[in-house]
Amino acid sequence: MSRAALWRQEENVKERQRQAEESFHLAIEEGRSRNRSAGVLPLVGPDDTFNLNPMLLHNISVSPYFYQKCYGKIKDWNALVDEIYYEVKHLEPWTPGSAKTPSTAFCLLVRLFTLRCTEKQMQLMLDHVDSPFIRCIGLLYCRYAVDPSIIFSYMEPYLYDDEAVQICANRPEGTVGEFVRQLLQSMDYYGTLLPRLPVQIEREIKAKLVEAEEIERRAKANLSDRSKMEHFKRVGSAVRSLYGDEENPVTWYDAVVDRVLSQDDTSGEPLRRPQFVVTFTEYGNTETVSIGEIDLRGGGGGGGGGGGAYGDRGNDNRSRGRDSYYDGRDRGRGRDLDRDRYRRNDDRYNNDHRGSERGYGGGGGRRQEDDDRWRRDRYGRNDGSGSGSGYEHERRERSRSRDREFDSGTKRAAASASGAGVVAHEKKRREKTPEELAAIQEKKKELMAKYG
């Protein structure tokens, strides 16, 4: 290829990059103009970066697919949903095998950011029945750009949705519920980072995820219990159900089943799990609850019963009062018994002590007899049947021990005396005679005279 052809090719690359950047800026301005439309979900964060990774956003902005197809041909929400249905194959941000080419899913997500999305359109995406990718891109939109305080309200109904979806290109399929929980529990998303949630909101979401897990466990247990389901589906059945609002925490209340729902009242679509319209007997309000938010009164005794982490309205306070009353009586009775036991022990000790001093009464005489019996058993009987008197045997043993102690003391004294003598002899041996001292002085003088 000639040098002129290379220059032309380089110029074409620069021109395409310039057109791509210009198209991206026009798309951003188009989105800003839509902010004033009625019902548009307000974006949180910069409206030109959408909380995306800078490198990922730059590669999307210069991508031929974005400026030729996404911006050039997709001009409204319906066209974008159709493109998702036909083109999206996975939900990773990058194309498999390439670290620079953005995926089709994220190119369309950015185009959805620039088109903006109304509350009604978002709900239609999340409930779309044609493709799970349409639902998941709507969930990504919520996670990146929607106010964190309302993210969970959009995602909560899909926490345990079991529709299959290809999340990662080179891995087995997951479910929409797994995808939702991943978005809420972790910031890491296949080589990029999701926006950080405020600390307080993150804590609240974690607590709600624990509650949702317990509700899901109870729902599975209720569905597997045929007798429970028959009771729940009987209109007028007495049950208990979870209820909470902004002022009151989620708590168990007694309720009555008014109606069983097997299909959605608005769309007419069959429900994956039955729902129940119940009336709370304490306040008279009516609510629609799921199979995991209902249980037999008293916990039901089944696999999914029990209040779990929730409180239980009813007779708890009264029963707790009775329990504490009986516990107090039992503790008082126990203290009285202990006091009587200590008093009897003190009386027995005093009687024994007085008896031992006077030689009669209590346990003093018995203790003396026990001591005598122990001596007879150890040293022989004193009735002529043994080998001698037990007391004489004891005295002989004591005499022998004294003799042994005397002998050992004598040996130690002798050893001490001999050691002192050796030390004195050694000291005397080391002393010099006057003749030896005079010879040493003479030797020193000779050495001094010779060596100066």
Side-chain angles (χ1 to χ4, degrees):
M1 184 179 293
S2 64
R3 183 176 299 179
L6 290 174
W7 286 346
R8 286 194 299 271
Q9 184 178 6
E10 185 178 355
E11 289 294 330
N12 292 334
V13 170
K14 290 181 179 180
E15 178 64 19
R16 287 196 297 269
Q17 185 173 357
R18 186 190 64 78
Q19 292 177 358
E21 292 177 352
E22 182 179 356
S23 300
F24 184 72
H25 289 302
L26 291 175
I28 290 176
E29 293 299 327
E30 181 183 0
R32 289 172 177 170
S33 65
R34 294 174 183 265
N35 283 334
R36 294 182 291 271
S37 302
V40 172
L41 279 172
L43 298 181
V44 175
D47 60 357
D48 57 348
T49 62
F50 315 109
N51 297 312
L52 286 167
N53 178 279
M55 185 177 71
L56 175 62
L57 182 65
H58 173 73
N59 290 356
I60 291 174
S61 65
V62 298
S63 168
Y65 177 74
F66 181 82
Y67 79 84
Q68 291 177 1
K69 185 69 177 289
C70 295
Y71 176 74
K73 296 182 179 180
I74 299 175
K75 297 298 182 180
D76 57 17
W77 179 83
N78 291 313
L80 185 137
V81 170
D82 291 340
E83 185 71 11
I84 295 173
Y85 178 82
Y86 287 110
E87 298 298 333
V88 175
K89 306 301 179 184
H90 63 87
L91 296 168
E92 289 185 78
W94 303 101
T95 300
S98 173
K100 294 184 178 181
T101 305
S103 67
T104 303
F106 268 70
C107 288
L108 291 170
L109 174 64
V110 171
R111 182 52 177 158
L112 183 62
F113 287 145
T114 60
L115 289 173
R116 300 298 191 267
C117 190
T118 65
E119 296 180 2
K120 182 179 179 180
Q121 289 172 342
M122 175 56 63
Q123 199 60 52
L124 289 174
M125 289 188 73
L126 298 180
D127 294 332
H128 212 286
V129 296
D130 291 342
S131 171
F133 296 111
I134 299 174
R135 306 174 62 194
C136 290
I137 289 180
L139 292 166
L140 282 171
Y141 186 100
C142 292
R143 183 63 178 86
Y144 271 104
V146 173
D147 185 358
S149 62
I150 61 174
I151 284 178
F152 191 78
S153 62
Y154 276 105
M155 296 189 176
E156 183 180 12
Y158 315 103
L159 285 173
Y160 290 93
D161 194 304
D162 56 2
E163 183 177 4
V165 61
Q166 189 72 45
I167 302 173
C168 184
N170 299 322
R171 297 181 186 176
E173 287 186 343
T175 64
V176 174
E178 293 174 357
F179 181 74
V180 173
R181 296 196 297 275
Q182 178 184 356
L183 293 179
L184 293 174
Q185 291 175 335
S186 176
M187 289 180 56
D188 296 329
Y189 186 81
Y190 300 105
T192 186
L193 292 177
L194 299 173
R196 183 182 296 276
L197 297 172
V199 175
Q200 184 61 31
I201 293 178
E202 184 179 7
R203 291 175 180 173
E204 293 175 358
I205 288 177
K206 288 182 178 179
K208 291 177 181 178
L209 288 174
V210 174
E211 296 176 1
E213 183 179 359
E214 185 176 352
I215 290 174
E216 177 66 14
R217 176 187 57 80
R218 189 182 300 107
K220 291 181 178 179
N222 288 341
L223 289 170
S224 63
D225 193 327
R226 184 176 179 181
S227 60
K228 272 190 176 184
M229 292 304 299
E230 291 177 354
H231 179 79
F232 294 154
K233 291 181 178 180
R234 191 180 305 117
V235 176
S237 297
V239 296
R240 65 173 188 166
S241 179
L242 289 173
Y243 177 74
D245 52 28
E246 297 178 355
E247 299 179 356
N248 302 304
V250 178
T251 314
W252 288 104
Y253 295 89
D254 291 340
V256 177
V257 177
D258 293 337
R259 191 158 61 98
V260 181
L261 303 178
S262 58
Q263 61 182 11
D264 188 88
D265 289 341
T266 303
S267 63
E269 296 290 335
L271 297 174
R272 188 171 60 92
R273 292 175 177 176
Q275 296 181 351
F276 303 88
V277 178
V278 299
T279 298
F280 295 97
T281 56
E282 186 171 356
Y283 298 103
N285 57 315
T286 300
E287 299 290 340
T288 301
V289 296
S290 66
I291 186 63
E293 298 172 322
I294 194 173
D295 202 354
L296 298 176
R297 291 189 182 181
Y310 307 104
D312 192 357
R313 302 276 298 187
N315 298 328
D316 281 354
N317 295 331
R318 292 192 295 273
S319 63
R320 189 179 300 111
R322 289 195 298 271
D323 293 341
S324 60
Y325 169 72
Y326 288 119
D327 291 343
R329 287 176 55 188
D330 292 340
R331 287 194 293 269
R333 188 182 297 112
R335 286 194 293 269
D336 294 339
L337 293 174
D338 292 341
R339 193 181 299 113
D340 294 340
R341 188 182 301 110
Y342 295 149
R343 188 180 293 116
R344 287 196 299 271
N345 291 337
D346 291 341
D347 294 341
R348 186 181 298 112
Y349 171 78
N350 292 332
N351 292 334
D352 293 346
H353 187 64
R354 288 193 295 270
S356 62
E357 289 178 348
R358 299 175 184 175
Y360 64 88
R366 287 193 297 274
R367 280 198 295 272
Q368 184 64 37
E369 293 175 1
D370 293 340
D371 293 343
D372 294 341
R373 187 180 300 109
W374 178 79
R375 289 192 180 93
R376 286 196 300 272
D377 292 341
R378 180 171 182 178
Y379 300 112
R381 301 179 62 85
N382 197 20
D383 55 0
S385 61
S387 60
S389 173
Y391 295 109
E392 291 178 0
H393 178 76
E394 184 178 0
R395 284 196 296 273
R396 285 196 299 273
E397 290 292 333
R398 291 177 181 172
S399 177
R400 291 172 182 170
S401 64
R402 285 196 296 270
D403 293 340
R404 284 193 295 271
E405 292 175 359
F406 176 78
D407 294 340
S408 62
T410 304
K411 292 178 181 179
R412 285 194 298 271
S416 175
S418 63
V422 170
V423 171
H425 177 72
E426 183 67 20
K427 183 177 181 182
K428 185 177 181 180
R429 188 179 64 82
R430 291 180 180 178
E431 293 179 354
K432 305 290 184 180
T433 63
E435 292 79 4
E436 291 176 343
L437 292 175
I440 292 173
Q441 291 295 331
E442 188 68 23
K443 187 69 176 283
K444 286 183 178 179
K445 290 179 180 179
E446 293 178 357
L447 292 173
M448 291 295 294
K450 184 177 181 178
Y451 298 103

